[in-house]
Amino acid sequence: MSISTPTSGIRAVVFDFGGVLFDWSPLHVYRHLIADDAERLHFLTHICSPEWNIQQDGGRSLADGTALLVRQHPQYESLIRVFYDRWKEMLRGQLDEGVALLKDLHAKQVSLFGLTNWSAETFPFARDNYDFLSVFQDIVVSGEEKCIKPDARIYEIALARYGRHLVDLKPGELVFIDDVKKNVEAAQALGWRGIHHVDAGETRAQLKLLGLPL
């Protein structure tokens, strides 16, 4: 028996993954490889940077991304190759409070969807090893779509995909949870509801205010 739509009109909750449901960080590996804090910060800011990594999330292959950096910074080759050779060690595990929130919504039969910036080559590892992902009716992965948040196109793709499960779904009937503020703002600009995730308790409280059964 399904629940009725909340008074706010929300029909589904959309989750980002990293920082909300998953504890992923290059620091889990590189803190053991680069002892000096300043040197490690420089490497992860200017060499294997977030801007570089997100291009793989956008569809560039891991091999091409790695080769590009090795050509640009040959003196760091061994450390650069570690990034994807040991990527699984960067995915430390689930964030328990975020996953508990997800499961509580699922128990109340709230429709759940995923929207994540994640490489198409590495996401299968998460899908195969974290059973809680099975509660999602659909997951939009940036690497598979070859576009990334906060680009408007990925939200449009997501709305169309989710609409296959919920007839006549409209942007304002979705609430999107993401730990990156600009990603939430991009969704809101397209008419979605949005929650900037800082901690699971606050996100839970905001969902309650929207009428979700928690």
Side-chain angles (χ1 to χ4, degrees):
M1 179 177 172
S2 62
I3 64 167
S4 59
T5 303
T7 55
S8 60
I10 299 298
R11 296 175 66 192
V13 180
V14 182
F15 278 81
D16 168 49
F17 287 178
V20 179
L21 300 176
F22 285 98
D23 175 13
W24 178 86
S25 174
L27 287 172
H28 296 328
V29 169
Y30 283 100
R31 66 164 51 102
H32 303 295
L33 300 177
I34 305 175
D36 183 78
D37 291 345
E39 183 182 351
R40 184 171 60 251
L41 176 62
H42 178 269
F43 180 81
L44 293 176
T45 302
H46 300 289
I47 311 300
C48 286
S49 66
E51 293 77 17
W52 165 77
N53 177 56
I54 206 168
Q55 295 307 309
Q56 284 68 261
D57 291 350
R60 183 168 66 188
S61 73
L62 307 188
D64 286 350
T66 299
L68 174 67
L69 275 198
V70 169
R71 288 196 301 271
Q72 292 175 340
H73 307 283
Q75 71 275 30
Y76 288 107
E77 179 174 1
S78 61
L79 286 171
I80 291 167
R81 293 195 181 281
V82 161
F83 197 95
Y84 290 116
D85 286 348
R86 296 179 60 181
W87 179 89
K88 293 177 184 177
E89 296 173 51
M90 298 179 191
L91 189 64
R92 177 167 286 181
Q94 70 180 42
L95 293 170
D96 291 338
E97 290 186 353
V99 173
L101 173 60
L102 175 74
K103 290 182 175 180
D104 286 348
L105 289 166
H106 179 62
K108 297 293 187 177
Q109 299 183 19
V110 175
S111 292
L112 300 168
F113 299 102
L115 177 55
T116 180
N117 282 351
W118 203 309
S119 164
E121 294 178 70
T122 56
F123 185 69
F125 174 80
R127 194 190 297 272
D128 292 344
N129 287 276
Y130 292 89
D131 291 343
F132 67 82
L133 294 178
S134 66
V135 307
F136 289 104
Q137 291 178 254
D138 200 348
I139 299 171
V140 174
V141 179
S142 64
E144 295 173 356
E145 303 299 336
K146 296 184 168 32
C147 59
I148 56 176
K149 297 175 292 182
D151 294 348
R153 180 167 165 255
I154 197 166
Y155 299 94
E156 293 163 355
I157 290 169
L159 179 63
R161 288 261 297 269
Y162 307 157
R164 299 173 191 170
H165 303 271
L166 298 176
V167 177
D168 296 325
L169 181 66
K170 296 174 176 59
E173 296 171 334
L174 296 169
V175 58
F176 177 48
I177 301 166
D178 197 306
D179 66 319
V180 177
K181 189 175 183 181
K182 65 181 180 181
N183 294 342
V184 175
E185 291 171 343
Q188 290 171 324
L190 294 170
W192 298 31
R193 308 290 187 95
I195 295 174
H196 178 214
H197 180 84
V198 178
D199 66 71
E202 176 61 24
T203 294
R204 183 182 289 269
Q206 291 190 53
L207 288 170
K208 285 182 180 179
L209 288 175
L210 287 172
L212 275 299
L214 290 167

